[in-house]
Amino acid sequence: MARECSVAAALGVVGEQWSLLILREVFLGVRRFDAIQEATGASRAILVTRLRSLTQARVLERVDYRESGARTRQEYRLTPAGRELQPVLTALMQWGDKHLAGPAGPPLTITHTDCGATVRATLRCEHGHLLADTGHGLTVQHNL
Protein backbone atom coordinates (compact mmCIF):
# COMPACT_ATOMS: atom_id res chain seq x y z
CA MET A 1 0.00 0.00 0.00
CA ALA A 2 1.38 3.41 -0.93
CA ARG A 3 2.23 5.75 1.91
CA GLU A 4 -0.17 8.68 2.37
CA CYS A 5 2.01 11.74 2.13
CA SER A 6 1.87 15.51 1.62
CA VAL A 7 4.76 15.27 -0.87
CA ALA A 8 2.62 13.04 -3.10
CA ALA A 9 -0.34 15.40 -2.76
CA ALA A 10 1.82 18.43 -3.64
CA LEU A 11 3.31 16.61 -6.63
CA GLY A 12 -0.24 16.05 -7.85
CA VAL A 13 -0.49 19.84 -8.21
CA VAL A 14 3.01 20.97 -9.23
CA GLY A 15 5.05 17.83 -9.78
CA GLU A 16 5.23 17.94 -13.52
CA GLN A 17 7.80 19.71 -15.69
CA TRP A 18 5.47 22.17 -17.42
CA SER A 19 3.78 23.24 -14.19
CA LEU A 20 7.13 24.01 -12.58
CA LEU A 21 8.34 25.91 -15.65
CA ILE A 22 5.13 27.96 -15.70
CA LEU A 23 5.61 28.79 -12.02
CA ARG A 24 9.24 29.73 -12.70
CA GLU A 25 8.10 32.24 -15.30
CA VAL A 26 5.35 33.74 -13.15
CA PHE A 27 7.85 34.10 -10.27
CA LEU A 28 10.12 35.94 -12.75
CA GLY A 29 7.26 38.33 -13.61
CA VAL A 30 6.05 36.72 -16.85
CA ARG A 31 2.26 36.67 -16.59
CA ARG A 32 0.75 36.61 -20.05
CA PHE A 33 -0.07 33.44 -21.96
CA ASP A 34 2.01 34.18 -25.07
CA ALA A 35 5.04 35.22 -23.03
CA ILE A 36 4.78 32.13 -20.80
CA GLN A 37 4.50 29.95 -23.90
CA GLU A 38 7.56 31.55 -25.49
CA ALA A 39 9.67 31.30 -22.31
CA THR A 40 8.77 27.68 -21.55
CA GLY A 41 8.47 26.24 -25.05
CA ALA A 42 5.23 24.51 -24.08
CA SER A 43 2.69 23.80 -26.78
CA ARG A 44 -0.53 25.79 -26.64
CA ALA A 45 -2.53 22.70 -25.62
CA ILE A 46 -0.14 21.79 -22.78
CA LEU A 47 -0.03 25.37 -21.54
CA VAL A 48 -3.82 25.70 -21.52
CA THR A 49 -4.14 22.44 -19.57
CA ARG A 50 -1.44 23.29 -17.03
CA LEU A 51 -2.62 26.86 -16.46
CA ARG A 52 -6.15 25.54 -15.91
CA SER A 53 -4.96 22.98 -13.35
CA LEU A 54 -2.77 25.51 -11.51
CA THR A 55 -5.71 27.91 -11.42
CA GLN A 56 -8.12 25.23 -10.20
CA ALA A 57 -5.62 24.29 -7.48
CA ARG A 58 -5.55 27.98 -6.46
CA VAL A 59 -1.81 28.31 -7.10
CA LEU A 60 -2.41 30.88 -9.84
CA GLU A 61 -5.31 33.23 -10.49
CA ARG A 62 -6.48 34.81 -13.73
CA VAL A 63 -6.70 38.59 -13.61
CA ASP A 64 -8.17 40.79 -16.34
CA TYR A 65 -6.04 43.45 -17.97
CA ARG A 66 -6.59 45.69 -20.95
CA GLU A 67 -4.11 47.60 -23.03
CA SER A 68 -5.25 50.82 -24.69
CA GLY A 69 -7.36 50.06 -27.76
CA ALA A 70 -7.30 46.30 -27.22
CA ARG A 71 -9.80 43.80 -25.89
CA THR A 72 -9.75 42.62 -22.28
CA ARG A 73 -7.40 39.68 -21.73
CA GLN A 74 -6.20 37.68 -18.75
CA GLU A 75 -2.84 37.32 -17.11
CA TYR A 76 -1.77 34.85 -14.47
CA ARG A 77 -0.67 35.87 -10.99
CA LEU A 78 0.45 33.91 -7.98
CA THR A 79 -2.00 33.43 -5.15
CA PRO A 80 -0.72 33.37 -1.55
CA ALA A 81 -0.46 29.57 -1.88
CA GLY A 82 1.50 30.02 -5.11
CA ARG A 83 3.91 32.49 -3.50
CA GLU A 84 4.61 29.91 -0.80
CA LEU A 85 6.17 27.73 -3.52
CA GLN A 86 9.07 30.19 -3.98
CA PRO A 87 11.37 28.29 -1.58
CA VAL A 88 10.60 25.05 -3.45
CA LEU A 89 11.63 26.53 -6.80
CA THR A 90 14.65 28.21 -5.21
CA ALA A 91 15.75 24.88 -3.72
CA LEU A 92 15.33 23.12 -7.09
CA MET A 93 17.34 25.85 -8.78
CA GLN A 94 20.08 25.61 -6.14
CA TRP A 95 20.32 21.87 -6.61
CA GLY A 96 20.46 22.25 -10.41
CA ASP A 97 23.10 24.99 -10.11
CA LYS A 98 25.25 22.75 -7.93
CA HIS A 99 24.87 19.47 -9.78
CA LEU A 100 23.86 20.27 -13.36
CA ALA A 101 25.21 23.70 -14.37
CA GLY A 102 27.63 23.68 -17.27
CA PRO A 103 31.11 25.20 -17.41
CA ALA A 104 29.68 28.72 -17.76
CA GLY A 105 27.97 28.32 -14.38
CA PRO A 106 24.36 28.86 -13.38
CA PRO A 107 22.21 30.67 -15.95
CA LEU A 108 20.33 32.71 -13.34
CA THR A 109 21.05 34.19 -9.92
CA ILE A 110 18.47 35.40 -7.45
CA THR A 111 19.57 38.22 -5.16
CA HIS A 112 17.99 40.09 -2.26
CA THR A 113 16.87 43.50 -3.55
CA ASP A 114 17.79 45.32 -0.33
CA CYS A 115 21.38 44.09 0.10
CA GLY A 116 22.35 42.31 -3.12
CA ALA A 117 23.24 39.00 -1.44
CA THR A 118 22.42 35.73 -3.20
CA VAL A 119 19.16 34.13 -2.01
CA ARG A 120 19.36 30.52 -0.84
CA ALA A 121 16.76 28.06 0.39
CA THR A 122 17.64 26.68 3.82
CA LEU A 123 16.07 24.44 6.42
CA ARG A 124 15.32 25.96 9.82
CA CYS A 125 13.27 24.72 12.72
CA GLU A 126 10.57 26.93 14.23
CA HIS A 127 13.10 28.16 16.81
CA GLY A 128 15.44 29.43 14.08
CA HIS A 129 18.11 26.71 14.22
CA LEU A 130 19.77 26.12 10.85
CA LEU A 131 19.76 22.45 9.81
CA ALA A 132 22.37 20.83 7.58
CA ASP A 133 21.37 19.92 4.01
CA THR A 134 22.29 16.31 4.78
CA GLY A 135 19.07 15.53 6.63
CA HIS A 136 20.91 14.96 9.93
CA GLY A 137 19.08 16.43 12.88
CA LEU A 138 15.62 15.65 11.53
CA THR A 139 13.08 13.45 13.29
CA VAL A 140 10.05 12.18 11.38
CA GLN A 141 6.75 11.68 13.20
CA HIS A 142 3.90 9.80 11.56
CA ASN A 143 0.64 11.55 12.42
CA LEU A 144 -1.78 9.10 10.83
Side-chain angles (χ1 to χ4, degrees), residues 47-127:
L47 190 55
V48 165
T49 301
R50 296 303 179 264
L51 286 168
R52 183 180 301 125
S53 72
L54 290 168
T55 302
Q56 288 173 344
R58 294 184 176 95
V59 172
L60 295 177
E61 63 182 345
R62 288 172 44 155
V63 178
D64 288 344
Y65 74 92
R66 184 175 179 179
E67 293 178 350
S68 180
R71 66 180 172 87
T72 300
R73 302 181 77 176
Q74 286 81 39
E75 64 181 16
Y76 296 87
R77 294 187 186 168
L78 294 162
T79 64
R83 284 190 292 278
E84 289 176 8
L85 287 166
Q86 179 69 59
V88 175
L89 267 68
T90 300
L92 281 171
M93 187 181 84
Q94 253 173 242
W95 186 88
D97 289 350
K98 181 176 181 179
H99 298 287
L100 304 173
L108 181 71
T109 303
I110 298 174
T111 57
H112 182 219
T113 302
D114 291 346
C115 72
T118 300
V119 172
R120 297 192 44 78
T122 59
L123 291 176
R124 291 188 182 275
C125 73
E126 290 179 344
H127 294 282

Side-chain angles (χ1 to χ4, degrees), residues 22-44:
I22 290 165
L23 289 172
R24 174 197 68 191
E25 292 308 314
V26 178
F27 276 116
L28 294 173
V30 179
R31 295 188 176 102
R32 297 179 182 174
F33 184 95
D34 293 340
I36 294 170
Q37 184 177 22
E38 182 179 336
T40 62
S43 72
R44 184 171 184 79

